[in-house]
Amino acid sequence: MEPADIGRRLRELNDDAVALVRGLSEEEWHRPTPTEGWPVGVTARHIALCHRAFVGWIRDMRADGPVDPGDIDEANAAAAAAGVVASPAEVASMLAEEGERAVDLLTAIPPEEAEGMVQFAGRQMPRARLLDASTRHVAGHLASIRAAVEGSGA
């Protein structure tokens, strides 16, 4: 899959996440997600924070450097323990802004830059797989949020 195609798919998924977050009730916002065990709000904010991290990963990849994923899960675990501090409106705005940055970056990558390998977290992986991590990440967390909102995560 070419970077522009990945970017279009990321935009679709992120738009779905923004719409879902904007429509959540206060009670739904605090429900635990079945996959992560975090409140829906923390899980949604995690998606936005990972968009931001993803932009850094892609910049590192394009500079032919190693990519260090960092530990966003640790930050989210601390946020979950402290309770959700951001509102649905704030998180929806974060999702929209950070997601658009990631999409813009993806759609600007020439197809040939998606070829080859990149060092990610100390191991080699295909560049295309790193680029597509953005869509897999959003899709997985979005499914967990939906499950919580539909009641199967409560």
Side-chain angles (χ1 to χ4, degrees):
M1 187 177 288
E2 292 192 5
D5 297 325
I6 296 168
R8 281 189 288 279
R9 177 71 178 134
L10 179 59
R11 178 173 281 125
E12 291 169 8
L13 288 163
N14 199 61
D15 287 350
D16 288 349
V18 169
L20 179 59
V21 165
R22 285 190 174 136
L24 294 173
S25 70
E26 186 69 20
E27 186 273 329
E28 290 168 329
W29 190 242
H30 294 282
R31 284 186 191 172
T33 54
T35 304
E36 304 81 5
W38 301 330
V40 164
V42 171
T43 305
R45 186 171 181 270
H46 170 78
I47 296 170
L49 291 175
C50 286
H51 286 326
R52 189 178 295 163
F54 178 73
V55 167
W57 299 354
I58 299 312
R59 287 185 178 141
D60 289 347
M61 182 197 83
R62 292 188 80 190
D64 291 324
V67 177
D68 178 6
D71 193 352
I72 294 173
D73 286 345
E74 182 179 317
N76 285 317
V84 179
V85 294
S87 71
E90 291 169 319
V91 173
S93 179
M94 278 181 70
L95 279 166
E97 291 170 17
E98 300 296 341
E100 196 57 34
R101 282 188 192 107
V103 167
D104 287 348
L105 187 58
L106 274 168
T107 56
I109 296 172
E112 60 274 10
E113 282 190 39
E115 297 172 4
M117 303 294 280
V118 62
Q119 184 180 359
F120 181 80
R123 61 184 172 81
Q124 292 292 312
M125 74 181 306
R127 287 174 167 241
R129 182 153 174 79
L130 176 63
L131 296 176
D132 195 37
S134 59
T135 61
R136 293 188 313 273
H137 182 261
V138 176
H141 289 302
L142 188 55
S144 186
I145 291 170
R146 284 187 174 127
V149 170
E150 293 167 3
S152 61

